[in-house]
Amino acid sequence: MTTSAEVRATLVDALNLDLVGPTPDDSAHAEEIVPQPPSKWYLTGFLAPFGASLEVRADDDTEDDLPEEITTNDASEDSQNPDKPAARRALFPASMGLSVLLSGPTTQLEVEATWGDYVPLPALDEDAGAEAEAGAEGAFDAEDNPDGPKRKKKADRWQRVPQRVRLTINVEPQPEPVEIELPGGSGLSVVMTSRPVKDDQRFAYGTKAVSVFLVNYRQAASGERDATFAFQTCLRLRCPEGFVPRPDPRGVSTTDWDDAVAAVQYRYDYEYAVGHNVSAQVAMPKAGEVCTEVCTTWVPIAEVPRVAPTTPQGVQLGMEALAQATDAATVRGMVGAMITEYRAWIAAQRTVAIAPQAAADVARDLLDKATTACNRMEEGLQALGDPKVFTAFQIANRAIALARRRQLSQEQGQPPESFSAPAWRPFQLAFILINLAGLANPRHPDREVVDLLFFPTGGGKTEAYLGLAAFTLVLRRLTHPGIQSAGLAVLMRYTLRLLTLDQLERASRLICALELERQKAPETLGTWPFEIGLWVGQSATPNRLGKKGDKDQYSARQRTIDFKRDSKGKPSPIPLERCPWCGEAFSTNSFQLLPTEDAPKALKVMCVGRGCDFRSRNPLPIVAVDEPIYRRLPCFIIATVDKFAALPWVGQTGALFGRVTHYQEGEGFYSPGDPTLAGRPLDHYLPPPDLIIQDELHLISGPLGTMVGLYETAIDTLCSREDNGHTLRPKVIASTATVRRADRQIRALFGRSKVDIFPPPGPDRHNSFFAKTDFKSPGRLYVGVASQGRSLKVILLRVYLALLAAAQRQWDAAEGKGNKDNPADPYMTLLGYFNSLRELGGSRRIVEDEVNSR
């Protein structure tokens, strides 16, 4: 049976065949006939004549960029007029080549150049009369100008003529480039330059740098320009003695920590060739072997192996088992083996010899950081000796397990209790343990540390920090009895609105689980409900409740009324389409404006599913309107960073940081920023947020990072409090799937000088104890398209066509819808990313018009 990985390979082959053309070994298409000029039929892979005119070396559509289509009526940057295109037109390449390093004794290099020439064919049968009249001069088009001079009719068919030339060249250093004309009157030449490498520290004496180019020196024709082009050009170099590997010079005597770590982790990965106007493709040698062959490619590919979490032996990771543990000693017995194995792994890594000394010093520092993480994990286990910390850990595990069962139930359509016991991945539980002590004790030095969770996309980062959030929320209820336990405790932020809405359902499910736990034990977890708030712009959630007669189309009242009138044509008042607890779709009865629809004070969200725990009198604990958020102060808030621009302008935002003075039973809290005060006065402010979670940290950079950093100064101050001369600051954690110079970025954003990356990287990039590279499963495949001289519109159109058509063919070959496990199914969806709404709108027109029709 065909697998999805095999289908993916066919898509790459189709992309090459459709964009570049036949490969040197493709006998089926070696002498193909194409119904268009080949420069129109193929996107890239060809060389135009060197020194030819602009008309010959430029694409007709070079300046035909994406069609403009404004998709928004706001005045944002996306809707501004685009920059004027560059005055200089991009040209087709006339040469391409490779640069390699050769050892001193190597004097010769084998070069193989392959390409395809396309010659115009005579017109088809319906033009036979005109062809006979034209004779040897070819076919003429007489209809356009019957009385004037006849001109040649452009060919509508082109036949490929495969070409292959092998030669051996002398690579001794030369003061000037050496040009070798390829035999057979091809008009193509190989140009070679060779010079000695003057770096005796990294390379043996006599090493030389050699560059070999394939250049099209044909004379440009005034008629059919494609006859002078060389298509499907490929240059292959062979050296029996082996090419000299080129190490990364950035790791030598560097002061950049990331470059130094990369130099250690990639110490066995070398570069053997560099492409010019084209990419290089190298068959990486096995251990103990040398690289003897490199070649060019117009569609380079690179596979990144999958990183999979590891499972240490003898560790019990079941969430429900941890929740049922009778005491802290039992938990230590269940989890302690992970710490023991981690220490043994660190000790084993220290015995690995690494040269040179600078790399060995970096490796030692990496293992020292791993030891620190291991010590923090052990300290977290010891912190469970506190009864409140242990109870919070138990309830958090129980809530996470309950939410996980509910998620599986919705995904697979089975009862929640039918699934096997949910379990942590080792790195998730370890991340929770290293933060336990800092969250349990506000004076702990770890409060000043920003812990950055670094794991590949889809590895489980969200569950890790949601587990930490659950622990924080419960511990607050146990530490501050009564109404003092209310207020915002966990603030989670994103940079993009779509990311925020995507995470809302998972976070809401956790809060639902915690609220059910609270309802079972209000004497332990308090009478104020666990709630989640969504604090984003009005295009996603209502900022005002609204009232009758205010004519605000963005208010919660108007959105709810519109949805009830037309539930199919109007969006839901909140950015959720179904109950996060049971998966039942929301209906018009799911949203209630209370106490009255004309002057509401709250928007309640109800589930209409039978048997759901959140029906009728027990609404879902979701607050998605700004005004109730400032009153209810949800314990968990998901926000976008741009929302903090409201801090100096909206007085009620101070309530989010505990600055409230009055409490109204059943309604909420009032702050000095409110127009009126109601309820009984409070003796103290509520505690400020204990935990700040910044997801997708790498997206906060550039101008956005500058603005966010300014707001962080105020947020950190508002979240801090004084206690007997000590400033207690909130704990900050962040997550990302790609990280570079994290300490510098976090220092600029949060003003925190210490950053710990978890899991700590080791000297071997394929093994960090908590994660290992999985070489058996297919990894992520990255494919590039080198297409100089083409417009963005043409590239997008051709790439989309090739991928979608190839996927459709594989889908049909695997029985289409008749096969529920169709291996081509993952590739029937094509996802495109764009820098602006203008580009998105133009690309949408291309897909709807041209891609569909073709």
Side-chain angles (χ1 to χ4, degrees):
M1 180 179 176
T2 305
T3 65
S4 288
E6 292 171 337
V7 170
R8 185 178 70 179
T10 64
L11 263 64
V12 175
D13 292 340
L15 197 65
N16 271 285
L17 184 60
D18 194 76
L19 303 186
V20 180
T23 62
D25 302 324
D26 187 355
S27 58
H29 301 91
E31 298 180 357
E32 66 175 359
I33 297 176
V34 297
Q36 276 185 324
S39 63
K40 296 290 186 182
W41 190 254
Y42 293 115
L43 181 73
T44 185
F46 51 83
L47 300 180
F50 180 80
S53 64
L54 184 66
E55 289 71 19
V56 174
R57 289 192 60 188
D59 190 0
D60 296 338
D61 297 327
T62 299
E63 296 180 353
D64 185 12
D65 211 338
L66 290 175
E68 297 180 7
E69 178 175 296
I70 302 299
T71 58
T72 179
N73 57 1
D74 61 23
S76 65
E77 182 180 353
D78 281 328
S79 62
Q80 302 301 314
N81 291 329
D83 295 334
K84 294 182 179 180
R88 185 176 179 181
R89 296 176 65 180
L91 303 179
F92 295 140
S95 66
M96 59 93 171
L98 293 168
S99 287
V100 295
L101 295 177
L102 299 176
S103 61
T106 302
T107 59
Q108 291 184 327
L109 188 64
E110 299 177 17
V111 179
E112 179 183 83
T114 59
W115 71 96
D117 287 330
Y118 284 80
V119 295
L121 295 179
L124 296 175
D125 293 342
E126 56 265 25
D127 296 329
E131 181 183 336
E133 181 182 347
E137 294 296 324
F140 290 87
D141 188 354
E143 293 183 2
D144 294 340
N145 189 10
D147 299 324
K150 295 181 180 180
R151 56 183 175 84
K152 282 188 177 182
K153 179 181 179 181
K154 289 192 175 182
D156 58 359
R157 295 188 305 149
W158 294 73
Q159 182 165 17
R160 185 178 189 268
V161 179
Q163 305 285 1
R164 185 188 300 265
V165 175
R166 294 187 179 94
L167 65 156
T168 301
I169 60 175
N170 184 0
V171 292
E172 289 299 322
Q174 303 287 339
E176 298 292 335
V178 177
E179 180 180 329
I180 305 171
E181 186 174 349
L182 297 185
S186 65
L188 272 62
S189 297
V190 167
V191 178
M192 186 276 298
T193 64
S194 178
R195 61 189 186 281
V197 176
K198 299 179 180 179
D199 188 347
D200 296 338
Q201 293 183 350
R202 293 193 299 148
F203 301 101
Y205 177 78
T207 303
K208 42 188 168 285
V210 177
S211 298
V212 180
F213 293 87
L214 180 66
V215 187
N216 183 354
Y217 281 124
R218 294 170 175 170
Q219 295 296 319
S222 58
E224 300 288 358
R225 68 173 188 175
D226 286 24
T228 61
F229 284 18
F231 292 86
Q232 294 98 36
T233 53
C234 180
L235 196 61
R236 191 177 302 271
L237 308 182
R238 297 186 181 91
C239 177
E241 298 88 351
F243 296 99
V244 176
R246 182 198 311 263
D248 188 352
R250 291 177 298 181
V252 180
S253 303
T254 180
T255 58
D256 187 288
W257 173 251
D258 294 287
D259 285 341
V261 172
V264 174
Q265 294 187 327
Y266 290 85
R267 59 190 182 276
Y268 299 125
D269 294 79
Y270 300 104
E271 184 180 65
Y272 288 93
V274 175
H276 304 283
N277 267 347
V278 72
S279 186
Q281 182 173 302
V282 180
M284 299 304 293
K286 298 179 180 179
E289 299 180 355
V290 294
C291 174
T292 59
E293 183 175 305
V294 297
C295 67
T296 61
T297 177
W298 295 94
V299 183
I301 62 173
E303 185 170 1
V304 178
R306 190 174 73 92
V307 176
T310 59
T311 303
Q313 298 294 324
V315 182
Q316 299 184 46
L317 300 171
M319 300 173 183
E320 293 166 340
L322 291 170
Q324 295 169 1
T326 55
D327 52 30
T330 304
V331 174
R332 296 186 191 114
M334 298 168 67
V335 180
M338 179 168 61
I339 298 176
T340 303
E341 286 196 33
Y342 194 22
R343 290 197 187 280
W345 178 86
I346 295 172
Q349 294 294 312
R350 291 188 186 276
T351 63
V352 178
I354 297 178
Q357 185 59 43
D361 293 341
V362 173
R364 185 182 63 253
D365 290 344
L366 290 174
L367 294 173
D368 289 344
K369 292 179 182 294
T371 302
T372 300
C374 190
N375 294 336
R376 291 181 63 189
M377 289 166 54
E378 190 166 20
E379 188 177 3
L381 280 180
Q382 296 302 321
L384 294 176
D386 185 325
K388 293 180 180 178
V389 176
F390 177 70
T391 302
F393 182 76
Q394 281 185 307
I395 297 176
N397 272 276
R398 189 157 57 241
I400 288 287
L402 190 56
R404 178 61 177 162
R405 286 186 179 275
R406 287 285 173 169
Q407 179 182 353
L408 292 173
S409 176
Q410 294 179 33
E411 292 174 351
Q412 302 183 25
Q414 301 293 329
E417 61 274 6
S418 65
F419 299 99
S420 57
W424 294 106
R425 291 177 177 176
F427 86 91
Q428 295 172 335
L429 183 57
F431 184 70
I432 293 174
L433 290 177
I434 69 171
N435 284 285
L436 280 187
L439 285 169
N441 180 10
R443 296 192 181 188
H444 198 283
D446 284 355
R447 275 281 177 127
E448 297 295 321
V449 179
V450 176
D451 285 291
L452 177 60
L453 185 57
F454 174 49
F455 214 79
T457 300
K461 296 188 297 295
T462 301
E463 287 74 14
Y465 61 66
L466 284 181
L468 202 57
F471 170 80
T472 303
L473 294 172
V474 176
L475 183 62
R476 182 177 179 129
R477 296 297 177 102
L478 301 176
T479 305
H480 303 282
I483 201 62
Q484 284 294 317
S485 65
L488 173 60
V490 178
L491 176 61
M492 186 162 69
R493 294 173 305 198
Y494 294 89
T495 56
L496 300 177
R497 204 164 292 161
L498 286 175
L499 287 174
T500 304
L501 306 183
D502 176 65
Q503 299 291 346
L504 177 60
E505 186 171 324
R506 277 191 281 185
S508 299
R509 192 176 295 116
L510 170 62
I511 298 302
C512 288
L514 287 172
E515 174 58 13
L516 292 179
E517 289 291 322
R518 185 201 65 80
Q519 293 176 7
K520 294 177 184 177
E523 68 283 353
T524 301
L525 297 177
T527 58
W528 190 255
F530 285 105
E531 293 176 319
I532 184 170
L534 186 62
W535 199 41
V536 296
Q538 69 176 8
S539 62
T541 62
N543 289 353
R544 297 177 60 252
L545 283 166
K547 59 183 179 180
K548 185 177 181 180
D550 62 5
K551 297 181 180 180
D552 183 1
Q553 62 176 334
Y554 294 106
S555 69
R557 176 183 179 275
Q558 191 60 48
R559 286 188 181 190
T560 303
I561 293 175
D562 291 343
F563 179 72
K564 289 187 175 183
R565 290 174 179 170
D566 182 12
S567 60
K568 294 183 179 180
K570 298 295 183 180
S572 168
I574 67 171
L576 280 176
E577 296 181 350
R578 61 180 184 173
C579 172
W581 191 244
C582 71
E584 183 74 19
F586 286 145
S587 70
T588 55
N589 296 324
S590 300
F591 304 99
Q592 296 183 13
L593 295 166
L594 300 175
T596 66
E597 192 174 89
D598 291 343
K601 291 186 177 181
L603 174 62
K604 297 295 184 181
V605 185
M606 313 284 187
C607 181
V608 295
R610 293 184 178 180
C612 183
D613 295 307
F614 297 95
R615 286 172 54 89
S616 60
R617 296 183 180 181
N618 191 30
L620 284 160
I622 299 174
V623 186
V625 185
D626 286 10
E627 290 177 346
I629 284 177
Y630 303 142
R631 187 78 61 241
R632 302 289 301 179
L633 303 183
C635 61
F636 191 117
I637 283 184
I638 299 180
T640 48
V641 293
D642 58 324
K643 194 68 176 180
F644 289 98
L647 289 178
W649 304 103
V650 181
Q652 292 94 325
T653 56
L656 299 177
F657 304 94
R659 266 63 169 183
V660 294
T661 57
H662 291 70
Y663 166 66
Q664 179 72 36
E665 186 74 28
E667 184 174 331
F669 300 86
Y670 290 82
S671 69
D674 287 308
T676 59
L677 297 177
R680 63 178 177 85
L682 297 173
D683 296 332
H684 306 284
Y685 284 151
L686 296 180
D690 297 302
L691 177 64
I692 294 176
I693 303 173
Q694 178 60 64
D695 202 3
E696 306 294 348
L697 177 71
H698 60 279
L699 295 179
I700 305 182
S701 60
L704 175 62
T706 301
M707 293 302 300
V708 173
L710 293 174
Y711 285 119
E712 288 299 337
T713 305
I715 293 170
D716 185 75
T717 301
L718 292 170
C719 291
S720 301
R721 64 183 188 273
E722 296 295 326
D723 182 26
N724 295 328
H726 294 275
T727 301
L728 308 181
R729 304 173 73 187
K731 175 67 180 179
V732 177
I733 64 174
S735 75
T736 182
T738 174
V739 62
R740 182 171 174 82
R741 298 187 176 95
D743 54 345
R744 189 181 311 173
Q745 183 181 8
I746 287 175
R747 191 181 307 117
L749 278 174
F750 302 111
R752 308 285 178 106
S753 58
K754 185 167 175 48
V755 180
D756 280 355
I757 298 177
F758 187 86
D764 182 0
R765 65 187 173 93
H766 297 303
N767 184 1
S768 67
F769 180 76
F770 292 101
K772 288 185 178 180
T773 300
D774 182 6
F775 292 102
K776 297 180 180 179
S777 303
R780 299 193 310 276
L781 189 69
Y782 291 87
V783 182
V785 177
S787 185
Q788 303 94 316
R790 297 294 198 186
S791 71
L792 178 60
K793 171 185 174 180
V794 173
I795 297 173
L796 181 139
L797 174 62
R798 294 300 301 275
V799 171
Y800 276 29
L801 276 172
L803 292 177
L804 289 171
Q808 183 69 48
R809 180 174 184 177
Q810 294 297 320
W811 166 270
D812 294 336
E815 303 178 10
K817 293 182 179 180
N819 182 2
K820 66 177 183 178
D821 298 321
N822 196 311
D825 182 73
Y827 305 104
M828 292 297 288
T829 298
L830 191 151
L831 180 63
Y833 291 91
F834 300 91
N835 289 325
S836 67
L837 294 175
R838 181 181 297 275
E839 287 186 7
L840 171 61
S843 301
R844 177 180 175 180
R845 285 177 53 190
I846 292 176
V847 172
E848 291 177 346
D849 298 341
E850 301 193 44
V851 173
N852 285 341
S853 63
R854 295 193 189 194

